[in-house]
Amino acid sequence: MLQIEIDSGSGFCFGVTTAISKAEEELAEGKTLYCLGDIVHNGMECERLRKMGLITINHEQMRDLHDVKVLLRAHGEPPETYELARRNNIEIIDATCPVVLQLQRRIKKQYEKAGETNAPTAADKEPSADSQIVIFGKNGHAEVLGLVGQTESHAIVIEQFDDVKRLDFTRDIYLYSQTTKSLDEFHKIIEYIQSHISPSAEFRSFDTICRQVANRMPNISAFATRHDLILFVCGRKSSNGKVLFNECLRVNGNSHLIEGPEEINQEWLKGIKTVGICGATSTPKWLMEQCRDALLKL
């Protein structure tokens, strides 16, 4: 008989859970609610909330809205979004993850400190010509856009280890990370900068990776080794999902990324005794349960 286990550590992180709860509370009262961007990188969960009345918009569409409520998802937003809301009399329901919010404040503080140190006048807020605020993250990702926005777009984004080589090691470097990036790769980047930074330049790194997310890496690795077949349930837009799925694939070559039960291939089950179902921080538990039920029918 086929044994199926759903990973108890997979599913929504605290930030996503809070954002969805806030949306559900508003929608339950029958109020019109807009969400700036997909509330979570999972199409099926977005569709569930759309049926409840949640209207997903982009930044361009928000400019045309006035006197409405807009929810900001867990990823966070740059200062310009709050300014736009103020001008258009939009009530913000801020569901920015506390971990992301703290990171935004740290980067903003560092940027302002650099500007004040080198500014000839208080009005001059340009960053120091001698400093580089560097963010290890995915270019264009919602969270990264919010972080870069704290520096008036002066921060340098590096997506992978090789990108670190284009930094100027004669100038100060202040390194931060998107909250859902790989801890191992972040440490690798730190080591490279430490070994290449000029003696006359300052280098400081700030470990801003969310531990709730980072701890999933060893846990999901152990989970993937216990099963003959791994079904990793995740929206293909999810950065966190790609990292976790690649870890599953590394330890168990018989791992498949699927968005929902309809993508399960019956051929995968030949000779299989145990199946593990897991997912990203953006994967709802109910979706993993649907995949389990589909397997049982097969």
Side-chain angles (χ1 to χ4, degrees), residues 160-186:
Q160 54 197 1
F161 173 73
D162 285 343
D163 293 342
V164 75
K165 297 169 185 176
R166 60 185 172 86
L167 297 177
D168 184 347
F169 297 104
T170 66
R171 294 162 55 202
D172 295 348
I173 296 174
Y174 301 97
L175 177 69
Y176 300 84
S177 175
Q178 179 182 339
T179 58
T180 54
K181 292 298 280 185
S182 161
L183 197 56
D184 288 343
E185 196 168 6
F186 185 60

Side-chain angles (χ1 to χ4, degrees), residues 79-99:
E80 306 90 80
T81 300
Y82 294 88
E83 177 57 27
L84 173 63
R86 189 191 62 77
R87 289 199 309 269
N88 289 10
N89 195 37
I90 292 171
E91 182 182 339
I92 290 292
I93 298 174
D94 201 338
T96 303
C97 172
V99 178

Side-chain angles (χ1 to χ4, degrees), residues 89-273:
N89 195 37
I90 292 171
E91 182 182 339
I92 290 292
I93 298 174
D94 201 338
T96 303
C97 172
V99 178
V100 174
L101 201 57
Q102 184 183 35
L103 173 53
Q104 286 184 348
R105 288 170 180 156
R106 290 177 76 172
I107 290 175
K108 184 178 175 66
K109 186 176 179 181
Q110 181 62 54
Y111 177 71
E112 289 176 343
K113 181 181 175 184
E116 288 165 4
T117 303
N118 295 274
T121 67
D124 186 349
K125 289 292 181 183
E126 283 299 304
S128 166
D130 297 324
S131 68
Q132 301 161 94
I133 292 178
V134 180
I135 298 167
F136 172 44
K138 183 182 177 183
N139 259 310
H141 187 279
E143 181 187 327
V144 174
L145 291 174
L147 300 178
V148 171
Q150 309 304 316
T151 69
E152 298 176 315
S153 299
H154 285 100
I156 299 166
V157 178
I158 56 173
E159 291 202 9
Q160 54 197 1
F161 173 73
D162 285 343
D163 293 342
V164 75
K165 297 169 185 176
R166 60 185 172 86
L167 297 177
D168 184 347
F169 297 104
T170 66
R171 294 162 55 202
D172 295 348
I173 296 174
Y174 301 97
L175 177 69
Y176 300 84
S177 175
Q178 179 182 339
T179 58
T180 54
K181 292 298 280 185
S182 161
L183 197 56
D184 288 343
E185 196 168 6
F186 185 60
H187 287 153
K188 193 177 171 187
I189 288 168
I190 291 171
E191 289 168 10
Y192 186 90
I193 296 173
Q194 284 173 334
S195 62
H196 288 79
I197 193 81
S198 166
S200 61
E202 180 181 40
F203 168 54
R204 292 185 67 193
S205 62
F206 305 90
D207 183 350
T208 53
I209 293 171
C210 175
R211 284 303 180 269
Q212 192 183 1
V213 174
N215 290 342
R216 292 194 181 189
M217 187 74 87
N219 292 344
I220 214 160
S221 178
F223 178 81
T225 59
R226 293 204 302 268
H227 298 284
D228 301 328
L229 169 68
I230 290 295
L231 297 181
F232 189 89
V233 189
C234 170
R236 289 185 170 86
K237 286 183 185 177
S238 171
S239 297
N240 163 255
K242 287 173 187 171
V243 172
L244 291 174
F245 172 66
N246 285 336
E247 180 61 15
C248 287
L249 204 55
R250 186 184 70 81
V251 300
N252 185 336
N254 199 19
S255 298
H256 299 274
L257 189 150
I258 59 172
E259 290 202 336
E262 67 284 348
E263 293 185 18
I264 297 172
N265 187 335
Q266 196 163 359
E267 292 293 312
W268 297 341
L269 301 176
K270 286 184 178 177
I272 297 299
K273 292 181 180 177

